[in-house]
């Protein structure tokens, strides 16, 4: 406690801690669960290094948040990065790349048995990871902590979502370039492109509101259209065209928020942003949102009286410098602050 009382938010942060803050998982109110995993990524790998890169970049953050006095006092800490899963993920990534190359080359029938065996192993380990995440989430939440999942690719939050769903119904606000509604994309049961399809198998997740989607297939569009508004998508093109015609972002946020239930889980895939902010993410797509737009939307969700019950930040993939990680760290800091307000922690 003395370390917290003696902490100077205007000076140098604590080395090795999230945001350089003087908190541990024992005295923090929010625990960030890092999952270094990108086994099923279909384009560029690297998101497995996201948690470590964000942790290292986060000490450069200044703590003032407009409208949230003393935001740093909320108390946020990151759990240990699980080295066992990181190591397993690296080895499985090599196997998945061979499998994906086989698919893209036309699925040579002579190699089918070998590739089916490879796929079965990957699916089995991804299932175990999902269960690990679910158990880890339950552990921290049973300690009275709010949790945020930090990926890794966008497959990683499923166990986190399912653990949160055990506490009651909620809707997901998804910030993303992709709809992620494919069933077992490329044969991977827990593909990063299947996260929302998988999440919606839970009856406790009663709504999905997607914002910024601009890369999707016919199967996903049909899923949205047939969902009877359980899935509502604000496509990036529609957002931009409305702005060109004079509709403000504030007005559009009001429309988005009207679709959300009282309890909201935020799933923030960094590729929902303009790729100038995240050029090294696994599947970058032209277009997208500014970080300030996302922060404003989440702030308006909180101001509406809705309660944020959990969140994730995924697909931050560091390149040769810290740019992506710096953006990711700032997105995470603002997200934690707004969750703190939503949960009356500040």
């Amino acid at each position: 406690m003395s370390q917290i009382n003696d902490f100077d938010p205007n000076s140098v942060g604590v080395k090795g801690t999230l945001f350089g803050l003087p908190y541990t998982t024992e005295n923090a109110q929010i625990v960030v669960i890092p999952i270094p995993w990108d086994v099923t990524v279909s384009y560029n790998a690297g998101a497995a290094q996201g948690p470590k890169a964000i942790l290292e970049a986060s000490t450069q953050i200044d703590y003032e948040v407009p409208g949230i006095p003393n935001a740093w006092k909320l108390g946020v800490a990151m759990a240990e990065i699980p080295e066992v899963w990181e190591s397993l993920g690296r080895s499985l990534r090599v196997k998945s790349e061979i499998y994906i190359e086989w698919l893209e080359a036309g699925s040579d029938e002579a190699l089918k048995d070998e590739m089916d065996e490879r796929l079965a192993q990957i699916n089995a380990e991804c299932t175990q990871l999902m269960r690990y995440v679910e158990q880890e989430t339950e552990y921290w939440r049973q300690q009275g902590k709010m949790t945020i999942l930090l990926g890794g690719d966008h497959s990683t939050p499923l166990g986190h979502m399912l653990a949160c769903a055990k506490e009651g119904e909620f809707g997901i606000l998804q910030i993303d370039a992709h709809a992620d509604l494919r069933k077992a994309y490329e044969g991977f049961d827990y593909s990063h492109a299947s996260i929302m399809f998988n999440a919606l198998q839970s009856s406790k997740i009663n709504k999905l509101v997607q914002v910024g989607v601009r890369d999707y297939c016919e199967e996903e569009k049909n899923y949205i259209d047939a969902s009877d508004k359980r899935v509502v998508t604000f496509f990036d093109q529609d957002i931009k065209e409305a702005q060109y015609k004079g509709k403000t972002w504030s007005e559009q946020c009001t429309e988005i928020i009207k679709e959300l239930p009282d309890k909201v889980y935020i799933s923030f895939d960094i590729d929902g942003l303009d790729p100038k902010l995240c050029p090294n993410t696994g599947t970058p797509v032209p277009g997208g949102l500014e970080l300030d737009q996302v922060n404003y939307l989440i702030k308006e969700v909180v101001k509406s009286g809705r309660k944020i019950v959990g969140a994730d930040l995924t697909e931050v993939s560091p390149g040769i410098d810290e740019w992506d990680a710096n953006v990711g760290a700032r997105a995470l800091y603002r997200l934690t602050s707004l969750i703190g307000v939503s949960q009356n922690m500040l």
Side-chain angles (χ1 to χ4, degrees), residues 24 26 29 85 94 119 233 242 269 277 330:
T24 67
E26 291 184 359
Q29 296 189 87
W85 287 107
V94 174
L119 177 62
T233 306
D269 184 327
L277 297 169
R330 282 159 176 78

Side-chain angles (χ1 to χ4, degrees), residues 21 26 31 35 45 71 75 99 124 126 144 209 235 243 269 299 314 336:
L21 292 172
E26 291 184 359
V31 172
I35 303 297
Y99 170 78
C126 287
V209 178
F235 294 100
Q243 289 177 326
D269 184 327
K299 182 175 74 171
T314 62
T336 60

Side-chain angles (χ1 to χ4, degrees), residues 38 41-47 93 97 153 279-284 315 317:
D38 59 2
V41 169
S42 51
Y43 191 45
N44 290 325
R93 179 61 198 165
E97 286 177 345
D153 69 39
N280 295 291
T281 191
T283 47
E315 301 285 357
S317 179

